[in-house]
Amino acid sequence: MPIHGLKTLGNVNPPHFNIENVIRPNILALHPYRCARDDYSEGILLDANENALGHSIPKPSSNATLSDLTPDLAETLDLDLHRYPSPSHPEIKARIAALRGLPSTDYIFLGVGSDEVIDLVMRVCVAPGKEKILITPPTYGMYVVSAQVNDIGVVKVPLELSGANGEGGENGRFSVRVDKVLDAVAADPSIKLIFLCSPGNPSTTLVSLNAIRTICSSPKFNGIVIVDEAYIDFVTLETDKPVSAASLVEEFSNLVVFQTLSKSFGLAAIRLGIALAQPPLIQILTNTKAPYNISTPTAHLALTALSPSSVAGMRAKVATLIKNRATLLEKLFSSEGTKRNLGQPIGAGHANFIMVPVLKKDGSGEVDNQRAARVYKVLAEANGLVVRFRGNELGCEACLRITIGTEEENEAAVTRLTKVFNEI
């Protein structure tokens, strides 16, 4: 069955993969809603039942009396807020394609944060109540949440953790067991999607391109491999080697790469998620999404963020955060007040956060999940320092996940952790 609106197939590889066997039949048959801006976007626009008089928010002025109308709103209020936004945003997609080395906008999909993209891929591929996804815990929690919302089964193939808690003098490192992933999908043909988080959250594990290539190439799996790269820019600045699975998108038609403007670009508030894939799947997602899912203010900020000067600024800030990460680790493990209370960081550290286990107070060197939970709570409620307790996740016993902050915030983190460790 042809995919409605598809202009190019891309590279059909691996040979055993057929996207029509992965997409739910009702989605393949879908004729997408055709919105007003799909046809025309210029002229006297009397086609979309918009308010021709414009928005009703008064612009800030020197005599404005309403406290919520501040000068920083001026640029936003000058946008055509009374008009529906573009349904396709080709300029944003063109900048993403150039940034990530893809040939055209046909390889780019935009969503309301990665969470919308996660949910949408599940809805178009996985039949509720019948089929499943595979995840590799510990991993991003929204995969399971979206699966539950969509009545989809979840198969778990845990990451393998070696050298945990400083055993043998090395940090605990997570790795994807490619053999076990392929054995799982071979044993259960109802698995339609494999989710790999790279770098992992909370594991900070980077999944190698060789591992991704092996899974995509294997005839044991006829579904789609998803690589979630929310933190990938924190790795690319540390190596000259290709590390992003975006470099494999043109090669494999069964691969989707998720990215976002929330992390390295520092734009979590605008909710702009990205899927990179070959045109057939991008067209399916486009056919299925809500007509105007990306708002005009979001699009305006995203286009600016993807300009050459803004991308250079992003890279500079990422470099600073990488430096701050190293400084924070050095201080945590040189300060008497913290080093004896923390085990070595878990994971490879390829992100804008670290994950460290809390140890028992008796100096035994054993991890203490209950103490970690108490430290987390007291830090937030009595000391104004909010981190994340991850101790209930597989392989993360007693762990706190600490986002890398400014130099001042990191100093405060060490000081307040020391205080709480002395109390608990």
Side-chain angles (χ1 to χ4, degrees):
M1 182 182 298
I3 297 172
H4 186 80
L6 182 63
K7 299 174 184 177
T8 176
L9 287 176
N11 180 27
V12 182
N13 179 59
H16 67 269
F17 177 75
N18 184 345
I19 193 169
E20 293 186 18
N21 294 333
V22 180
I23 306 301
R24 294 167 58 196
N26 61 307
I27 300 296
L28 276 176
L30 177 69
H31 280 249
Y33 174 78
R34 190 154 190 84
C35 63
R37 294 300 152 259
D38 281 324
D39 294 325
Y40 305 104
S41 58
E42 297 179 351
I44 299 174
L45 301 175
L46 302 179
D47 57 343
N49 300 337
E50 298 155 329
N51 188 328
L53 300 183
H55 63 75
S56 58
I57 305 172
K59 292 185 179 180
S61 63
S62 58
N63 59 359
T65 57
L66 298 179
S67 60
D68 56 342
L69 297 180
T70 55
D72 60 302
L73 287 173
E75 185 176 359
T76 300
L77 295 178
D78 283 338
L79 300 173
D80 288 332
L81 300 180
H82 65 302
R83 299 294 184 191
Y84 286 111
S86 165
S88 55
H89 302 287
E91 291 179 318
I92 296 174
K93 292 178 181 178
R95 289 187 175 181
I96 293 170
L99 179 65
R100 301 311 186 189
L102 292 170
S104 75
T105 60
D106 292 336
Y107 289 73
I108 314 295
F109 176 81
L110 305 178
V112 183
S114 295
D115 294 335
E116 183 192 29
V117 188
I118 291 167
D119 178 74
L120 191 56
V121 171
M122 288 188 191
R123 285 195 284 129
V124 302
C125 295
V126 191
K130 298 179 181 179
E131 295 176 328
K132 303 169 186 174
I133 66 169
L134 183 148
I135 64 172
T136 57
T139 192
Y140 182 42
M142 279 303 296
Y143 307 146
V144 170
V145 171
S146 290
Q148 289 178 321
V149 168
N150 289 288
D151 192 21
I152 290 168
V154 178
V155 174
K156 299 178 181 181
V157 178
L159 298 174
E160 186 171 85
L161 180 61
S162 60
N165 301 328
E167 294 173 13
E170 296 182 359
N171 296 357
R173 296 295 177 95
F174 288 96
S175 60
V176 172
R177 287 296 304 269
V178 173
D179 56 339
K180 291 187 177 181
V181 168
L182 292 177
D183 287 346
V185 295
D188 191 345
S190 71
I191 297 173
K192 301 291 284 295
L193 304 174
I194 295 173
F195 281 86
L196 302 173
C197 197
S198 177
N201 176 14
S203 71
T204 72
T205 293
L206 181 70
V207 182
S208 73
L209 296 187
N210 284 338
I212 295 166
R213 185 178 280 110
T214 298
I215 296 172
C216 287
S217 301
S218 176
K220 292 182 178 181
F221 183 54
N222 295 313
I224 290 173
V225 179
I226 296 166
V227 182
D228 189 341
E229 292 188 340
Y231 302 93
I232 195 65
D233 288 319
F234 294 94
V235 189
T236 55
L237 264 72
E238 297 181 276
T239 176
D240 294 329
K241 299 178 181 178
V243 291
S244 171
S247 63
L248 303 179
V249 165
E250 286 188 84
E251 180 179 355
F252 291 105
S253 49
N254 58 347
L255 174 66
V256 186
V257 178
F258 292 167
Q259 294 185 352
T260 180
L261 297 191
S262 293
K263 307 301 181 183
S264 59
F265 283 86
L267 289 170
I270 75 170
R271 312 305 301 130
L272 198 289
I274 301 160
L276 312 175
Q278 290 200 14
L281 182 58
I282 295 299
Q283 188 63 56
I284 288 288
L285 296 175
T286 301
N287 291 350
T288 313
K289 75 174 182 68
Y292 305 108
N293 63 329
I294 306 302
S295 73
T296 294
T298 288
H300 175 72
L301 289 166
L303 186 64
T304 304
L306 291 161
S307 68
S309 60
S310 295
V311 170
M314 174 273 286
R315 288 173 174 153
K317 289 190 175 182
V318 166
T320 298
L321 288 171
I322 291 172
K323 179 182 177 181
N324 288 358
R325 184 181 66 201
T327 301
L328 175 61
L329 285 168
E330 191 277 328
K331 289 184 177 180
L332 285 174
F333 290 97
S334 62
S335 169
E336 289 298 326
T338 52
K339 69 178 184 179
R340 55 189 171 84
N341 292 287
L342 296 173
Q344 288 298 306
I346 302 295
H350 295 307
N352 68 333
F353 61 88
I354 59 173
M355 190 166 65
V356 288
V358 174
L359 305 179
K360 290 184 176 180
K361 199 168 185 175
D362 61 10
S364 65
E366 297 178 5
V367 298
D368 189 333
N369 206 50
Q370 291 185 342
R371 188 185 186 207
R374 292 198 303 273
V375 167
Y376 156 72
K377 188 177 179 67
V378 173
L379 274 175
E381 295 181 1
N383 293 272
L385 177 65
V386 183
V387 297
R388 289 291 295 273
F389 172 66
R390 302 279 79 172
N392 294 330
E393 296 187 41
L394 187 66
C396 303
E397 185 181 3
C399 282
L400 301 179
R401 194 190 71 188
I402 305 173
T403 304
I404 306 306
T406 64
E407 289 184 13
E408 294 77 15
E409 288 171 333
N410 291 343
E411 288 281 359
V414 175
T415 300
R416 297 180 195 190
L417 275 165
T418 298
K419 176 177 179 292
V420 173
F421 282 140
N422 288 333
E423 299 170 353
I424 296 176

